Amino acid sequence: MSVLAHGIGSQHDLPLSPFYAFAGAFAALFVSFLALGLLWSASRFRGDRAGRPLPVALQRLADARSTRMAARVLGLAAALFVLLHLLLGPNGPEHNPAAGTVYVLLWVGLVPASLLLGPVWRLLNPLRTLHLLVCRGLGRDPAAGRPLPVHLGLWPAAAGLLAFTWLELVAPDPASSTALLLFFVLHGVVHLAGAARHGARWFDHADAFEVYSGLLARLSPLGRRPADRRLVLRSPFNGLDAVPQLPGLVATVCVMLGSTAYDGFSDAPSWITTVQTSPLGRTTAATLGLLAAVAFVATLYALCTGATRLISGQLRHPLTAFAHSLVPIALGYLVAHYFTLFVTEGPHTVMMALGADNPVPPEPPLTPGGIATLQVAAIVIGHVLGVVAAHDRSVRLFPPARAVAGQLPLLALMIAYTIGGLTLLLA
């Protein structure tokens, strides 16, 4: 069942006119850019300071010891379920729900879960729970440990995301029990060793799934103010504005974008032929393709932010200053590429986990035209949100006379990403 390893399969021949899709996307980007330039002259986002506090009863329920313990038990139970099926179950996604649990319920399911509930993997993470239990058994503070190096940032998470997407999109047999066991054993050893050395804060910076969930959760209407730890309802733009400008942030988001882009063209007949006939071998050629996709996304971003720095004349850290604007774009790509997979293979995996013998996946809830419209809308809306986030940051950082001009390279970047995303979707 290769669909588990390659998203929703073929995107080609969708019943939607490419002309209208591109025209609508360009119109949305240009109109939003012009409107922002004319009407939005001062920064309106306040990051973690913004938000309306939730009722105290909801706050107590969310922070209750029983709630957190239930989430940790659920995460451990799910990890044990996958581990036992990988060790004892049949080898193959047709009869073993482990691969679907990992690639669909975990990887894709974290997207809606994080958008609705915030950074949920922080509570569900079985490795964080294991570290907590070991520390309690040893009488040690889970937060105790050596300080994390300042330059470390999110680089381990970026590497972990790249490793997982390589497993998903490039590995010869990504759904096999052996491949999944090897990945998660290495993943567990690395992160438990890191937490033993640096304390629980290691997971905040290094665990790929926690960082992935945390970045997507920045667009959730639920947030938590660091000053008083209150749960608040907020504009997703305020959550996005509060993304920490850490080393490795750009790499992490570019892996999210580049790997999804590679997933989009990896099923093209021309690429399949190239990979299968390459003298380097299929796996090496596909690996180079994945790395090239990530590098291409990162290079475009670096060039445009470099041009923005030249125009503004005073931006010290252009790469991280606007990296938050790439998060909604990554979300749009994820929705466009994985919506059908989640709504069909998700219930199929659940039915298998409950004991059904080779159940039939449900039909998608939308018609082909509806799915195509949703996918194009997700990409376009993601880019428009990125334009808004970049504009608000630019009017905060740049002199008024250069605020709009400084955004032109970023607008060009959004247009380039939009062309690429829609081409992969509709070509």
Side-chain angles (χ1 to χ4, degrees):
M1 192 179 294
S2 62
V3 68
L4 291 180
H6 296 282
I8 62 174
S10 178
Q11 296 276 357
H12 310 293
D13 302 320
L14 291 175
L16 191 67
S17 168
F19 172 79
Y20 290 114
F22 282 106
F26 294 153
L29 288 174
F30 278 114
V31 168
S32 60
F33 177 78
L34 292 176
L36 290 168
L38 293 173
L39 305 174
W40 198 309
S41 59
S43 176
R44 302 183 184 185
F45 303 146
R46 297 186 295 124
D48 281 334
R49 295 172 297 164
R52 182 183 299 244
L54 290 175
V56 174
L58 289 178
Q59 174 90 31
R60 289 175 178 170
L61 176 63
D63 290 340
R65 177 183 176 86
S66 58
T67 302
R68 294 178 174 274
M69 183 174 296
R72 292 178 180 131
V73 169
L74 178 61
L76 279 177
L80 183 61
F81 171 86
V82 171
L83 180 61
L84 290 176
H85 277 80
L86 290 177
L87 290 172
L88 305 176
N91 190 20
E94 295 82 4
H95 304 287
N96 191 329
T101 302
V102 171
Y103 291 124
V104 181
L105 300 183
L106 169 60
W107 179 241
V108 183
L110 270 179
V111 177
S114 301
L115 290 176
L116 292 173
L117 302 174
V120 292
W121 192 247
R122 195 175 193 278
L123 281 178
L124 294 172
N125 189 351
L127 296 179
R128 184 184 283 271
T129 301
L130 286 175
H131 174 255
L132 176 64
L133 293 175
V134 170
C135 287
R136 286 182 176 175
L138 297 176
R140 176 182 173 184
D141 181 3
R146 299 185 182 185
L148 289 167
V150 177
H151 63 274
L152 185 71
L154 302 179
W155 282 107
L161 278 176
L162 185 60
F164 181 79
T165 53
W166 180 91
L167 174 69
E168 179 195 13
L169 303 173
V170 175
D173 192 3
S176 73
S177 298
T178 302
L180 287 168
L181 272 173
L182 179 60
F183 173 83
F184 282 111
V185 166
L186 292 175
H187 177 80
V189 168
V190 168
H191 290 295
L192 289 176
R197 180 179 177 87
H198 297 287
R201 70 179 68 86
W202 167 265
F203 297 106
D204 298 326
H205 293 262
D207 187 285
F209 300 107
E210 277 206 18
V211 172
Y212 173 73
S213 174
L215 285 174
L216 295 173
R218 292 291 177 175
L219 289 165
S220 171
L222 290 176
R224 191 181 289 272
R225 289 192 308 221
D228 55 8
R229 304 300 297 165
R230 284 299 304 271
L231 285 174
V232 296
L233 283 177
R234 66 186 182 188
S235 162
F237 284 113
N238 283 311
L240 198 61
D241 188 63
V243 172
Q245 297 182 35
L246 298 173
L249 172 63
V250 175
T252 302
V253 181
C254 286
V255 169
M256 294 169 62
L257 282 170
S259 61
T260 309
Y262 178 79
D263 189 15
F265 72 76
S266 63
D267 68 331
S270 58
W271 178 249
I272 293 174
T273 301
T274 299
V275 168
Q276 291 178 343
T277 59
S278 172
L280 299 174
R282 178 205 169 277
T283 302
T284 302
T287 300
L288 292 176
L290 174 61
L291 294 176
V294 174
F296 181 72
V297 168
T299 300
L300 282 181
Y301 176 73
L303 289 174
C304 289
T305 53
T308 296
R309 181 180 183 179
L310 290 176
I311 295 173
S312 70
Q314 63 180 42
L315 194 60
R316 293 183 58 190
H317 304 289
L319 286 177
T320 55
F322 292 97
H324 70 301
S325 66
L326 299 183
V327 176
I329 299 175
L331 173 61
Y333 285 4
L334 289 167
V335 172
H337 283 269
Y338 296 119
F339 169 78
T340 306
L341 174 73
F342 185 66
V343 298
T344 56
E345 292 300 324
H348 178 253
T349 300
V350 172
M351 287 186 286
M352 289 180 62
L354 294 175
D357 185 18
N358 199 22
V360 178
E363 291 294 324
L366 300 175
T367 64
I371 291 174
T373 302
L374 173 66
Q375 291 168 335
V376 171
I379 291 176
V380 174
I381 292 173
H383 284 83
V384 171
L385 296 180
V387 169
V388 175
H391 175 83
D392 189 86
R393 182 64 56 87
S394 69
V395 296
R396 181 188 307 168
L397 298 178
F398 300 161
R402 299 183 181 182
V404 175
Q407 295 176 66
L408 290 175
L410 295 172
L411 176 64
L413 176 71
M414 301 297 177
I415 292 175
Y417 283 169
T418 303
I419 292 174
L422 293 180
T423 299
L424 292 174
L425 192 67
L426 301 169

